[in-house]
């Protein structure tokens, strides 16, 4: 059985850890609120830009723009967005596991990774995956230019035919308690079912020509989609960390209760032992 001193040390250690997890929960809650505001403001704009681009693509021949061409190659680039730090529950591990399963399922050709976040960069580099590029320490000072720095080299490599498809895997923010791992195809740009029917109902006049509009819109669309991915991942990370720290704080409180009970029992046993020794000594003196 642990001594009273050891139990007191454990109680002090757990209480100190509880203070840290509680502070981290409060910090994550503040960051989550700001991140949530940004992603809620960005989603409608990204959605409308996607709808407009789809309507333009339907009316444009695919061979008129290099990013709309259908390719038969099998070289794939996957952009994996993880966090720079841990202590956020299964946020990173779920995404990494999903990425590994996705890579294993792509038996048709070579797959390279572009890792966003320190956790993904460290994990995949240590396990022999082919890394196209790495970006770390983005989320402390996240800016729109970060999205451009990520998507521009990927698009350039796609235009150089180093890749025939580009996917992105990230955690989509649903709530502080729920984050969904999502895999989306960025290039080549694909149409969804129903696009032809929806766009054929109204005939628009374009000034300048559709190809010129597409040439101007597609880079902006790719930038805003990558920006949306980063905001989704950042909000999901803060929600996951806030939930993890809340659970850790509650577990620490439960452990403190258990340790306090153990300490009181040990202290009571020690007092009882001392009383028994005193009584035993007094009885021995009486017999003399």
């Amino acid at each position: 059985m642990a001594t009273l001193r050891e139990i007191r040390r454990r109680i002090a250690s757990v209480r100190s850890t509880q203070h840290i997890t509680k502070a981290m929960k409060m910090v994550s809650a503040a960051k989550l609120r700001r991140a949530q505001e940004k992603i809620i403001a960005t989603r409608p704009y990204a959605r409308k830009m996607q709808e407009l681009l789809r309507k333009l693509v339907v009316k444009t021949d695919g061979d008129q723009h290099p990013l709309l061409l259908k390719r038969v190659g099998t070289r794939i680039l996957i952009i994996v967005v993880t966090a720079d730090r841990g202590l956020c529950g299964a946020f990173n591990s779920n995404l990494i596991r999903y990425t590994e399963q996705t890579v294993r399922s792509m038996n048709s050709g070579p797959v390279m990774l572009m890792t966003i976040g320190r956790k993904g960069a460290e994990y995949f580099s240590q396990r022999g995956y082919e890394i196209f590029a790495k970006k770390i320490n983005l989320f402390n000072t996240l800016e729109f230019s970060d999205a451009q720095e990520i998507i521009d080299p990927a698009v350039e490599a796609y235009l150089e035919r180093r890749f025939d498809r580009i996917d992105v895997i990230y955690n989509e923010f649903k709530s502080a308690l729920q984050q969904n791992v999502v895999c989306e195809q960025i290039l080549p740009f694909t149409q969804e079912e129903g696009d032809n029917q929806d766009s054929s109902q109204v005939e628009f006049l374009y000034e300048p020509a559709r190809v010129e509009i597409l040439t101007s819109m597609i880079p902006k669309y790719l930038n805003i989609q990558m920006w949306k991915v980063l905001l989704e991942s950042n909000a999901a990370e803060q929600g996951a960390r806030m939930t993890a720290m809340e659970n850790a704080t509650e577990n620490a409180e439960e452990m403190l209760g258990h340790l306090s009970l153990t300490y009181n029992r040990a202290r009571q046993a020690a007092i009882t032992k001392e009383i028994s020794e005193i009584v035993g000594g007094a009885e021995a003196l009486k017999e003399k």
Side-chain angles (χ1 to χ4, degrees):
M1 185 175 180
T3 64
L4 292 175
R5 180 178 296 179
E6 292 173 347
I7 297 174
R8 283 197 299 268
R9 286 177 179 173
R10 289 191 62 189
I11 289 175
S13 176
V14 172
R15 186 171 286 117
S16 176
T17 302
Q18 186 185 40
H19 291 160
I20 295 172
T21 57
K22 190 174 182 180
M24 292 182 66
K25 172 194 169 184
M26 296 174 65
V27 171
S28 296
K31 290 183 178 180
L32 173 61
R33 184 172 62 253
R34 293 193 294 269
Q36 194 170 357
E37 291 172 356
K38 287 183 179 181
I39 189 59
I40 290 175
T42 303
R43 279 173 177 171
Y45 179 78
R47 191 180 304 116
K48 284 298 180 182
M49 180 172 281
Q50 188 177 49
E51 291 175 4
L52 178 59
L53 189 60
R54 283 193 179 128
K55 291 177 181 179
L56 283 170
V57 170
V58 170
K59 297 294 185 179
T60 307
D61 293 333
D63 58 357
Q64 294 185 9
H65 197 283
L67 295 180
L68 303 180
L69 291 172
K70 303 297 181 183
R71 297 187 181 180
V72 296
T74 57
R75 295 164 298 181
I76 300 173
L77 172 66
I78 300 179
I79 303 174
V80 185
V81 185
T82 60
D84 288 312
R85 298 183 297 143
L87 298 178
C88 48
F91 177 88
N92 292 309
S93 59
N94 286 343
L95 192 140
I96 288 172
R97 189 182 307 111
Y98 182 91
T99 302
E100 288 184 313
Q101 293 173 354
T102 302
V103 172
R104 284 195 295 267
S105 66
M106 293 177 175
N107 299 321
S108 55
V111 178
M112 293 187 71
L113 302 179
M114 184 176 186
T115 58
I116 312 302
R118 186 182 300 276
K119 290 298 181 180
E122 292 176 351
Y123 182 90
F124 292 111
S125 297
Q126 294 171 0
R127 286 161 178 79
Y129 287 85
E130 290 190 73
I131 306 298
F132 171 70
K134 302 177 185 178
K135 296 288 183 181
I136 60 175
N137 298 328
L138 296 180
F139 295 102
N140 288 332
T141 57
L142 193 60
E143 300 289 343
F144 184 74
S145 58
D146 295 324
Q148 293 177 309
E149 291 177 2
I150 293 170
I151 199 64
D152 286 352
V155 173
E156 183 179 353
Y158 181 83
L159 292 174
E160 293 173 354
R161 293 189 173 273
R162 294 176 60 185
F163 305 109
D164 302 302
R165 196 176 94 198
I166 299 178
D167 294 349
V168 59
I169 298 178
Y170 65 99
N171 277 297
E172 183 183 32
F173 175 75
K174 291 296 184 181
S175 68
L177 299 175
Q178 183 181 4
Q179 303 86 34
N180 292 340
V181 179
V182 175
C183 180
E184 295 178 353
Q185 180 175 319
I186 295 180
L187 288 174
F189 188 81
T190 58
Q191 303 176 24
E192 292 187 352
E193 294 183 4
D195 284 349
N196 289 323
Q197 292 83 349
D198 293 340
S199 61
S200 62
Q201 295 176 0
V202 180
E203 187 65 32
F204 293 96
L205 296 176
Y206 297 96
E207 181 65 32
R210 294 192 194 97
V211 176
E212 295 180 27
I213 297 175
L214 277 173
T215 302
S216 175
M217 275 195 63
I218 288 178
K220 294 182 175 65
Y221 164 77
L222 294 173
N223 289 340
I224 196 63
Q225 293 302 319
M226 194 67 235
W227 174 240
K228 174 179 170 291
V229 166
L230 293 177
L231 292 180
E232 293 273 7
S233 181
N234 185 42
E237 177 190 349
Q238 301 305 330
R241 182 170 289 110
M242 186 186 74
T243 302
M245 292 301 99
E246 183 178 5
N247 292 336
T249 302
E250 293 176 356
N251 291 339
E253 185 65 31
E254 183 179 346
M255 186 177 294
L256 283 174
H258 175 73
L259 288 173
S260 297
L261 182 60
T262 303
Y263 177 80
N264 291 333
R265 287 177 176 173
R267 184 167 175 269
Q268 186 177 23
I271 294 172
T272 303
K273 182 180 179 182
E274 290 178 3
I275 293 175
S276 299
E277 290 175 352
I278 292 171
V279 172
E283 290 297 330
L285 290 175
K286 287 181 182 179
E287 292 177 0
K288 291 182 179 179

